[in-house]
């Protein structure tokens, strides 16, 4: 029996800058961040239940919106001292302090309802149907694969299965994640 899972993402409705490419592609010659030396852009996730997104890199800048969801995937697109400019799955951008981010990788279902499969195969058994906005944790993505193993919370506990990368936002096309 399939379990329909849905999650409301609580946030004001800022005007998106531009809808991100889905799934995004990181250039082979991706730049390195001037602060961390890590590839830019890259994905991270919110560390806490409430994360302030500011208009600039510092506490003196006003809070533009607040994310109210732990482990929401964000794409880091710039670095400045202890601040990161991020983009969410709807294309909205702002600045967040690094202490509110984690390198743990997560996903959010985008576009339309997605089927969580038992194996990395569209013909395999369905584990659950996931509504747009459902978030989960990436367990594994093989290099060059169009599928990732993910884990999502459900009323009966957590569920594991495979989602095609085209069904979620939170990884780059073909990117290996372990």
């Amino acid at each position: 029996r399939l379990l329909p899972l849905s999650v409301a993402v609580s946030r004001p409705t800022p005007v998106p800058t531009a809808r991100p490419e889905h799934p995004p592609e990181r250039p082979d010659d991706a730049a390195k961040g001037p602060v961390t030396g890590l590839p830019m852009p890259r994905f991270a996730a919110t560390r806490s239940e409430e994360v302030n997104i500011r208009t600039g890199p510092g506490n003196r800048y006003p809070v533009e919106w607040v994310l109210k969801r732990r482990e929401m995937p964000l794409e880091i697109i710039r670095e400045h001292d202890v601040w990161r400019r991020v983009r969410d799955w709807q294309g909205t951008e702002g600045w967040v302090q690094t202490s509110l981010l984690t390198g743990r990788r997560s996903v959010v279902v985008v576009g339309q309802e997605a089927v969580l499969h038992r194996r990395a195969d569209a013909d395999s058994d369905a584990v659950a149907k996931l509504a747009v906005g459902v978030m989960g944790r990436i367990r594994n993505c093989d290099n060059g694969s169009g599928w990732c193993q993910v884990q999502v919370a459900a009323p009966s506990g957590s569920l594991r299965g495979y989602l095609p990368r085209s069904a979620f936002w939170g990884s780059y096309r073909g990117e290996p994640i372990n």
Side-chain angles (χ1 to χ4, degrees):
R1 183 168 174 259
L2 296 180
L3 301 172
L5 300 178
S6 62
V7 170
V9 179
S10 172
R11 57 181 281 175
T13 50
V15 177
T17 51
R19 182 107 183 153
E21 177 188 354
H22 164 72
E25 186 165 358
R26 182 168 43 199
D28 292 334
D29 61 346
K32 302 290 185 199
V35 177
T36 63
L38 296 172
M40 296 289 290
R42 66 180 179 277
F43 279 99
T46 55
R47 183 182 298 272
S48 67
E49 295 290 333
E50 192 167 298
V51 174
N52 290 334
I53 307 296
R54 296 180 178 275
T55 60
N59 288 325
R60 70 182 184 278
Y61 292 94
V63 173
E64 189 168 33
W65 43 282
V66 177
L67 288 176
K68 297 215 176 234
R69 192 69 205 271
R70 180 182 215 133
E71 294 189 4
M72 180 175 283
L74 296 171
E75 186 178 31
I76 298 173
I77 56 176
R78 282 187 50 204
E79 297 180 347
H80 177 75
D81 194 27
V82 297
W83 294 88
R84 302 296 176 262
R85 180 142 179 105
V86 296
R87 177 184 302 127
D88 77 359
W89 63 287
Q90 296 175 310
T92 306
E93 296 181 9
W95 290 89
V96 64
Q97 198 168 27
T98 57
S99 63
L100 299 173
L101 298 173
T102 178
R104 186 177 301 124
R105 299 293 294 274
S106 60
V107 300
V108 61
V109 175
V110 296
Q112 61 187 12
E113 182 178 79
V115 176
L116 184 66
H117 291 273
R118 193 160 311 285
R119 293 184 316 278
D121 176 358
D123 294 328
S124 72
D125 292 342
V127 174
K129 288 184 180 179
L130 308 178
V132 172
V134 168
M135 294 186 341
R137 189 178 287 179
I138 295 178
R139 307 298 298 172
N140 180 52
C141 300
D142 290 336
N143 188 22
S145 174
W147 293 80
C148 292
Q149 184 184 40
V150 302
Q151 180 177 330
V152 295
S156 61
S158 66
L159 300 172
R160 281 192 189 188
Y162 290 84
L163 280 177
R165 289 187 202 235
S166 61
F168 67 82
W169 192 79
S171 78
Y172 296 106
R173 204 171 290 137
E175 172 191 21
I177 303 170
N178 296 317

